[in-house]
């Protein structure tokens, strides 16, 4: 029975086996195929390690490419088959369960590095051969004076049998001799090659120093030089070579001839260009990818001479829904269509479109007037997305959110620019999508701070940076302290004390609200037990703890609450859990079930922020609540005398309704004595607010309770 290898080492050996089978037929070696496999196994292990390394190391791929040359895998077909093998099987056998897109990107970069290492090692080997040939040539010409006949035979053997092109010319550039390898490179007759002088072999892509080096050599100022140079063949095609030119001197040291050694690198160059294209372009859409875009963006933001840049960062709205409902094949076809439309929007000089990944695209424009051009580019993109896309007989509406960053070059780096564009794009998406927004430094700063707080939250809980303040709940009838509401705070090392509005939404978004909420409940219940021990004569002080919507859906809510109460020795009747009205709008029986179980145990359930959720008052009968906490917006009109009559009527009606349903009423935000008195007259049961006390340490509540007990 056969199957995939089990362990990483087995998968690695399988990859080495496939690799050896691919390259063995084109390798000039005396080794057997299993022996070649053993040579390739450490190379496969090095590629596997480089694939999974935290940071990319091009040296690993280059070393593997060079090792192929050392193993006599010097045929270009051996490199091609090796790259195909790495592309098809490296991620499959060595990637394990890592992120596939990132691993394939890393694999492509490793292939590019392998090709570079292979080319470099082959070039060094060729140069060594060239040096030997050159030395042999010099020795041969030196020996002519002593034994012309013997040296001529030796020189001719080297000259004609060499695998690289060799040509000899005088110092005026007249070509005197060429070997068969050089003639085959140019694909012409010997007369056609020898009929041209060396200075006539120019090419538009010649580096500026090529002919300067040539002039220095024929003047005797230089012994040799080595360059990469292109030539035209007779049919007009380009021949790329590694060219080494040496100066030959006579017995008296006078310059006499020039010797050229040429290695044909055309196929290697085409391979490098293909690998470069694949490494810098998106395989699905053909657009430039993140790598090439960052190169262009870095040039744009670092340009001088009063240059500016504009960047549009596009994310499709609802693309995940299309993938989930129609499948990834339909999603890919949609991305290809969007890419084509975006490409048609950026055709002016200095403009480019790239795909960063997934459904994220960027459009870049550069020049002196990008303030106007980037807005026009964003308009063209939005208009290009208006027409629905037809896929498998369906018309799909395409919408997108765009974040725009524009500014002068030289002030920000590419990473900062892209981060600002990303933040701005999400601002456009949160505003409803299908629109574009301009970057705002203040909004960027808030988003960066928010991100920093999000990443710091888990460690903050472990480091004990959270603490709890308590705000008294006062009985309106006699002014006694009824209990307190627990309010969590974060003592941040850089930002100081942060209120819950700064970090509770972040904790809910990341899921940290569950362990944080459990910690708050545990600390608050422990504090309530300590209060009871100190106020045994004046009756128990109750503790109110807020529950977030995420905690309501957590399966361990009831059991955690029971365990904490039993561990701390607090009666369930001394605990009140506050749930916002908005969290219970439209709640089904599954969501209400844990609240009902807690209520049956004796825990009070308070409906917090009542009046802000637009819920049906008739729903109060089905909710397991015993307390309504009236939102402060209903009582602000009572802070002055006379009170707003409309507010009085509303509060009076709510209190009457609550009492008819056997619900107690607590009022938040009481700030004046007149307000407190009016609420007492209206029948409210308890209140909290700055009129009584601001949130503070637990000792302050103890002091207030003592005053009530002795007052």
């Amino acid at each position: 029975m056969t199957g995939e290898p089990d362990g990483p080492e087995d998968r690695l050996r399988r990859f080495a086996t496939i690799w050896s089978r691919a390259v063995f037929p084109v390798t000039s070696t005396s080794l057997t195929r299993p022996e070649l496999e053993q040579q390739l196994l450490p190379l496969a292990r090095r590629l596997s390690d480089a694939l999974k390394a935290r940071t990319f190391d091009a040296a690993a791929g280059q070393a593997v490419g060079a090792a192929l040359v050392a193993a006599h895998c010097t045929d270009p077909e051996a490199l091609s088959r090796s790259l195909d093998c790495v592309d098809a099987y490296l991620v499959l056998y060595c990637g394990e369960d890592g992120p596939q897109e990132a691993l394939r990107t890393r694999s492509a970069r490793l292939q590019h590095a392998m090709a570079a290492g292979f080319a470099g090692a082959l070039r060094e080997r060729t140069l060594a051969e060239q040096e030997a040939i050159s030395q042999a040539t010099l020795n041969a010409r030196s020996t002519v004076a002593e034994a012309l006949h013997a040296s001529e035979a030796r020189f001719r053997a080297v000259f004609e049998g060499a695998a690289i092109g060799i040509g000899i010319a005088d110092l005026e550039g007249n070509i005197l001799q060429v070997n068969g390898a050089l003639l085959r490179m140019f694909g012409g007759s010997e007369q056609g090659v020898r009929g041209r002088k060396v200075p006539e072999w120019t090419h538009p892509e010649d580096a500026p120093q090529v002919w300067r080096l040539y002039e220095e050599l024929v003047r005797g100022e230089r012994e040799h030089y080595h360059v990469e140079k292109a030539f035209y063949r007779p049919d007009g095609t380009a021949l790329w070579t590694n060219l080494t030119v040496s100066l030959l001197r006579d017995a008296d040291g006078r310059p006499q001839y020039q010797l050229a050694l040429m290695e044909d690198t055309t196929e290697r160059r085409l391979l490098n260009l293909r690998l470069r294209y694949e490494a810098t372009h998106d395989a699905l859409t053909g657009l430039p990818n993140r790598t090439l875009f960052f190169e262009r963006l870095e040039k744009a933001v670092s340009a001088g001479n009063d240059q500016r840049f504009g960047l549009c960062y596009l994310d499709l709205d609802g693309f995940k829904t299309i993938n989930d409902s129609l499948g990834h094949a339909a999603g890919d076809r949609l991305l290809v269509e969007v890419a084509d439309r975006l490409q048609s929007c950026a055709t002016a000089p200095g403009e480019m479109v790239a795909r960063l990944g997934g459904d994220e695209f960027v459009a870049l424009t550069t020049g002196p007037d990008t303030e106007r051009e980037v807005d026009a580019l964003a308009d063209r993109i939005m208009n290009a997305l208006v027409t629905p896309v037809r896929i498998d007989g369906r018309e799909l509406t395409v919408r997108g959110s765009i974040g725009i960053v524009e500014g002068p070059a030289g002030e920000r780096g590419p990473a900062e620019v892209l981060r600002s564009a990303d933040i701005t794009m999400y601002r456009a998406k949160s505003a409803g999508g299908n629109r574009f927004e301009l970057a705002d430094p203040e909004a960027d700063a808030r988003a960066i701070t928010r991100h920093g707080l999000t990443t710091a939250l888990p460690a903050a809980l472990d480091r004990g940076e959270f603490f709890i303040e308590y705000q008294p709940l006062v009985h309106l009838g006699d002014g006694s302290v009824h209990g307190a509401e627990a309010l969590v705070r974060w003592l941040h090392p850089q930002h100081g004390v942060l209120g819950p509005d700064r970090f509770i939404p972040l904790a809910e978004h990341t899921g940290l609200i569950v362990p944080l909420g459990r910690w708050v409940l545990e600390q608050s219940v422990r504090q309530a037990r300590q209060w009871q021990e100190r106020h045994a004569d004046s009756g128990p002080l109750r503790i109110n703890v807020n529950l977030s919507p995420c905690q309501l859906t957590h399966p361990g809510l009831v059991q955690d609450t029971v365990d904490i109460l039993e561990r701390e020795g607090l009666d369930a009747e001394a605990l009140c859990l506050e749930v916002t009205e908005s969290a219970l709008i439209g709640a089904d029986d599954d969501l209400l079930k844990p609240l009902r179980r807690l209520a049956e145990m004796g825990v009070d359930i308070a409906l917090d922020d009542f009046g802000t959720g637009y819920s049906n008052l008739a729903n109060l009968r089905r909710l397991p609540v015993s307390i309504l906490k009236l939102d402060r917006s209903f009582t602000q009109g009572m802070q002055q005398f006379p009170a707003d009559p409309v507010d009085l009527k509303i509060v009076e009606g709510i209190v009457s309704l609550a009492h008819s349903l056997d619900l107690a009423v607590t009022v938040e935000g009481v700030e004046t004595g007149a307000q407190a008195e009016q609420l007492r007259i209206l029948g409210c049961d308890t209140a909290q607010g700055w009129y009584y006390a601001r949130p503070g340490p637990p000792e302050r509540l103890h002091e207030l309770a003592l005053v009530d007990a002795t007052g």
Side-chain angles (χ1 to χ4, degrees), residues 241-262:
T241 68
N242 276 333
L243 173 65
T244 300
V245 182
S246 300
L247 181 65
L248 302 181
R249 299 178 181 270
D250 61 17
D252 296 327
R254 291 188 297 269
Q256 191 169 19
Y257 301 102
Q258 50 180 313
L259 174 70
L261 306 178
M262 293 185 187

Side-chain angles (χ1 to χ4, degrees), residues 126-341:
T126 302
L127 288 176
E129 292 178 352
Q130 292 174 350
E131 186 65 27
I133 293 171
S134 178
Q135 189 61 45
T137 303
L138 290 172
N139 291 337
R141 295 193 65 84
S142 168
T143 310
V144 167
E146 301 175 7
L148 180 61
H149 191 72
S151 64
E152 179 66 25
R154 185 187 307 168
F155 173 77
R156 183 55 54 185
V158 173
F159 188 78
E160 293 297 340
I164 62 173
I166 303 176
I168 298 176
D170 60 24
L171 299 183
E172 285 72 39
N174 299 304
I175 299 176
L176 305 177
Q177 287 181 292
V178 292
N179 70 348
L182 188 143
L183 289 177
R184 289 191 294 272
M185 287 183 192
F186 281 89
S189 64
E190 181 175 357
Q191 188 59 39
V193 174
R194 293 179 60 182
R196 301 177 62 186
K197 287 193 172 186
V198 171
E200 297 176 8
W201 294 94
T202 60
H203 192 276
E205 296 195 44
D206 285 343
Q209 73 271 20
V210 167
W211 295 106
R212 176 178 57 80
L213 295 173
Y214 173 79
E215 293 295 336
E216 292 177 358
L217 182 132
V218 297
R219 290 198 303 264
E221 300 171 1
R222 174 180 293 275
E223 295 302 313
H224 60 83
Y225 65 89
H226 178 81
V227 293
E228 184 180 30
K229 177 165 170 43
F231 296 89
Y232 280 120
R233 291 190 178 102
D235 61 1
T237 59
L239 166 68
W240 280 90
T241 68
N242 276 333
L243 173 65
T244 300
V245 182
S246 300
L247 181 65
L248 302 181
R249 299 178 181 270
D250 61 17
D252 296 327
R254 291 188 297 269
Q256 191 169 19
Y257 301 102
Q258 50 180 313
L259 174 70
L261 306 178
M262 293 185 187
E263 176 197 5
D264 187 350
T265 62
T266 306
E267 290 189 5
R268 187 190 312 162
R269 180 180 177 85
L270 292 176
L271 173 62
N272 287 338
L273 290 175
R274 179 175 68 84
L275 292 175
R276 165 68 178 170
Y277 181 87
E278 292 177 354
T280 57
H281 285 75
D282 177 50
L284 176 65
T285 64
L287 292 177
N289 63 9
R290 179 183 290 269
T291 300
L292 183 55
F293 169 72
F294 257 95
E295 292 178 7
R296 288 286 301 276
L297 180 61
E298 186 168 12
K299 291 181 180 177
V301 300
S302 60
N305 300 324
D306 299 326
Q307 292 295 299
R308 302 181 69 88
F309 70 91
L311 175 64
C312 296
Y313 193 119
L314 167 69
D315 184 272
L316 300 183
D317 298 334
F319 179 73
K320 184 178 184 300
T321 303
I322 294 175
N323 260 349
D324 293 343
S325 59
L326 301 182
H328 288 276
D332 286 349
R333 291 171 61 185
L334 176 64
L335 291 175
V336 171
E337 175 63 26
V338 169
D340 290 342
R341 296 185 184 186

Side-chain angles (χ1 to χ4, degrees), residues 403-441:
I404 298 177
V405 177
E406 193 281 333
E411 292 186 356
R412 290 176 285 182
E416 183 182 357
V417 169
L418 195 63
R419 180 177 60 181
S420 177
D422 189 22
I423 292 171
T424 308
M425 178 272 293
Y426 276 107
R427 186 151 48 86
K429 193 175 287 288
S430 64
N434 198 32
R435 59 189 294 156
F436 60 81
E437 294 280 349
L438 297 176
D440 176 15

Side-chain angles (χ1 to χ4, degrees), residues 71 188 210 446 592 703:
V210 167
R446 289 194 297 270
L592 296 178
E703 296 169 359

